[in-house]
Amino acid sequence: MSDSARLLLKIAPNPTEVLNQLFANMGTGSFVGPISSHLEGQLATLKNWAQDEDPRSRSWAEATIAYAETGVKRQKLLEEEGKF
């Protein structure tokens, strides 16, 4: 996590909202290749955040990892079925 994101988390009245926005921003923009690869990249970032020194960030990331893993599995199934 960047130093500016860490600072924002420290001063924000609702750090969970900041973390949700940071995670949502990972899904914006453009990319090339399977969507599942993009989602796996997001999952890797979450796993890094789960090792963060800030306990709020770690707790949030650990809870969000399960959600992200489900999304990756679902997307891979859709891709295997030729639906995406």
Side-chain angles (χ1 to χ4, degrees):
M1 191 174 302
S2 71
D3 290 338
S4 57
R6 285 181 203 286
L7 177 61
L8 186 56
L9 286 171
K10 288 180 182 180
I11 64 172
N14 186 351
T16 299
E17 183 177 339
V18 173
L19 289 163
N20 287 338
Q21 289 296 322
L22 290 171
F23 185 62
N25 286 338
M26 280 193 257
T28 63
S30 61
F31 58 92
V32 176
I35 295 171
S36 61
S37 295
H38 182 66
L39 296 176
E40 286 173 330
Q42 292 177 351
L43 180 58
T45 299
L46 285 173
K47 288 180 178 180
N48 285 335
W49 288 3
Q51 305 301 316
D52 197 83
E53 61 191 36
D54 179 52
R56 294 174 299 182
S57 299
R58 280 195 315 268
S59 176
W60 177 88
E62 289 167 358
T64 307
I65 285 171
Y67 166 79
E69 287 175 335
T70 300
V72 169
K73 288 177 188 174
R74 184 178 62 230
Q75 183 59 39
K76 283 185 174 185
L77 181 62
L78 289 171
E79 290 170 359
E80 289 171 7
E81 293 175 351
K83 295 182 180 175
F84 278 96

